[in-house]
Amino acid sequence: MDKIKVTNVSHYYQDGVKKKRVLKDINVEFETGKFYAILGESGSGKTTMLSLISGLDTYQEGEITFNDKTVKEIGLNNYRLKYVNIIFQSYNLIPYMTAIENVIIMMDIMKLKYKNKKERALKILNSLGIDNDTASRTVLKLSGGEQQRVAIARSLVGDVPFIMADEPTGNLDEDTEEKIISIFKDLVKKGKGVIVVTHSKKVAQNADVVLNIKGGDIK
Amino acid sequence: MLRRAYLSVIRRKTKTTILFLFLLIISTLVLSTISIKNATKKSMEVARKSLATEVTLSMDMSKLRDSFKNEDNASMSDKKEMMENMHDKMSNNSPKMSDVNKLKKSKYVVDVKYSFSVNASEEDFELYSTDSDDNNENSFMGGPMPMNRNNSLEVEAINTFKLLDEYQNKTITLESGEAFDEDDKDAVIISYELATTNDLKVGDTITVKDTSDKSHKLTIKGIYQNSETKGFNTSYNKIYINASTAESFMTEDEYNDGNYILKSAVFYLDDPENSNKFISESKNIITDLEDRNLTLDIDTRTYEQMTSSIQNVAKLSTVILVIVIIAAIVVISLITINSLKDRNYELGVLLGLGEKKIKIVSQFIAEIALLATISFVCAIFSSKLISQKLADTIITSQQQTEEKMVMGPGMDRGNGIKAMTNVNEIKNVDVNVSTKDIGYLFIVGYGIIIISNIVPSVKIINSDPKDILSRKE
């Protein structure tokens, strides 16, 4: 079982001449095989929290470790490449590429040595409900739900222990939201750790652990 | 990284087409100017090798004048003494046959021309008399001819007739017969007027007497015609003989063990680049060259006149090349920076996914390099079409500019052009796109791409994925 441990993490933003604290003395642990939902009002610090534990941003105080090794030691880029994958509300797909190509580029970035990358990408996409025809279209021609599934497929190719998502269902209708939640739950069953920042009560209801952030602190 | 670069190029069709067309124009201009530059260089090289550079051994007249000024001429008793002194000085400071014999052995000398005058008089023929000319074309201002040079026989010796200045610049032409060379002993070339007066033709003989009254029989090898408008200075009683024949006309004093005075001595070198080497070598061989007020002058005027147009073309093509390179760097930098703004989101995604910054920089360079490579290949064909036309246009405009400069305001067009007609100026350059030129295009082209990607690369390296993606969110 892999573990991300957050110890006494505080984080600040420079607001003009003032230093504004967005997170204060956060202590929390995330394990694989569990579905975490981080809730909070806008500006509460939940996205900052996700940026720090996903390695998109560097923490200023305290320590974040992956299996007892600090993220700084691992290196942010290396950490993002090997241990976590992030899914964004706006999917963050490369617009001029097809769904398959978006998945394949992740394999290229991770230097994964699959004999047939296209076949492997299609297998993942098919498992998330994207058929071959849809997979061959450029992502701009896909619906929001399809794009989000392509983004999830991309995060699954590397078989990283943690999948993190920022408002993954924010732009989706209820049916599609349910499908995405179902995919997350399946991933958890397969031993992945899923951490989702959300406003959605439905996502929170399906999570194993719900963390409420208020005023930069976990309540 | 290459897959992403390839996909970006083929999927972003409009931007790719615009960039490709721009790169094609740039690479065509770069290749054309490189080809023109190399073609002019080649033409100049050919011209250089085809022209034997002339180095003239002569008196340094300015030094000689200075030496006269420095002497106290007032101390000389009379004008005659002063003239004698001047004559002695001129004799001592003239190039001599012995100098030519020493210098012509140099490995740089491909030919030599020397001439001198000998004193002789006619024995079995009459001189042409201008006084008897019914047309009176040689009368001076309608009155009697002052100091008429045609009252005596002039004998000029030259080693090879074809090298004679008057023959080369077509002041005289051979009306019949042929020129003599170094081995043609006792050969003579006489004027048409002299031949007509004495009813002589090629193959006939004439006899002249030297200063010791010794007779010399000479066989007429050719008859020349003065092609310039005949006038006061035209010499009708001048004959040309071979240098070795002329030596037999000299007294022992005149011959002076081969140290006799020459009228002129010109050395033709194998390559203009060896001119200075020849001069330094000559100064070592004739150590008293400067003491004798002798000078060796390089004459590169012919080469310069021949190549003046294409030299300007070479300069202009260099200027165009530099301008194109600078413009290309600026425009490609701007295109890439602008494209980076469009692709900021893609940059953030790739960084967010854990891609290394250096690989993203490489991807952007690979995209433009891929297009550039295709445009370079296309430029090989397009520049073949335009480079010759471009070169011709530049040469024409250069020649027009030169003509205007030569003629000047109010100058007669005929006179201006006449000054240039003695030299066959190179008026066209055969531009061919060579493998070497293509090689240069690839080096320059990739150089432009690398330089123009420096600023965008710095921008990528300073990018923060969180900032980019949070702006998007």
Side-chain angles (χ1 to χ4, degrees), chain A residues 13 51 56-57 77 80-81 88-90 92-94 96-97 101 104-106 108-109 111 154, chain B residues 3-4 7-8 11-12 343 345-346 349-356 359 363 465-466 469 473:
Chain A
Y13 283 130
S51 295
L56 272 179
D57 205 356
N77 211 53
R80 286 202 301 270
L81 202 60
F88 293 87
Q89 185 176 0
S90 54
N92 287 359
L93 299 170
I94 310 287
Y96 55 82
M97 292 184 187
E101 286 159 358
I104 290 174
I105 60 152
M106 192 64 207
D108 291 340
I109 291 170
K111 292 179 186 161
R154 189 178 61 185
Chain B
R3 188 199 306 271
R4 289 201 307 267
L7 289 172
S8 167
R11 296 280 163 75
R12 297 159 71 240
R343 298 172 71 183
Y345 165 66
E346 180 187 344
V349 171
L350 291 170
L351 289 172
L353 295 175
E355 182 61 300
K356 287 177 183 159
K359 283 202 168 180
Q363 179 196 331
K466 185 181 161 286
L469 295 175
E473 292 289 314

Side-chain angles (χ1 to χ4, degrees), chain B residues 328-393:
Chain B
I329 290 172
V330 172
V331 175
I332 296 173
S333 294
L334 291 173
I335 290 174
T336 317
I337 290 168
N338 194 44
S339 154
L340 212 57
K341 276 182 193 167
D342 290 349
R343 298 172 71 183
N344 205 30
Y345 165 66
E346 180 187 344
L347 176 66
V349 171
L350 291 170
L351 289 172
L353 295 175
E355 182 61 300
K356 287 177 183 159
K357 287 176 178 176
I358 188 73
K359 283 202 168 180
I360 299 173
V361 171
S362 307
Q363 179 196 331
F364 280 57
I365 294 175
E367 284 174 19
I368 203 159
L370 178 67
L371 279 178
T373 308
I374 300 166
S375 70
F376 294 165
V377 175
C378 295
I380 296 170
F381 302 101
S382 55
S383 62
K384 269 182 185 170
L385 293 173
I386 73 150
S387 55
Q388 188 63 56
K389 282 177 188 165
L390 187 65
D392 293 343
T393 310

Side-chain angles (χ1 to χ4, degrees), chain B residues 294-310:
Chain B
L294 287 175
T295 178
L296 282 160
D297 295 315
I298 307 166
D299 182 8
T300 53
R301 278 172 303 172
T302 316
Y303 171 71
E304 278 161 14
Q305 280 187 23
M306 244 182 116
T307 58
S308 67
S309 277
I310 56 167

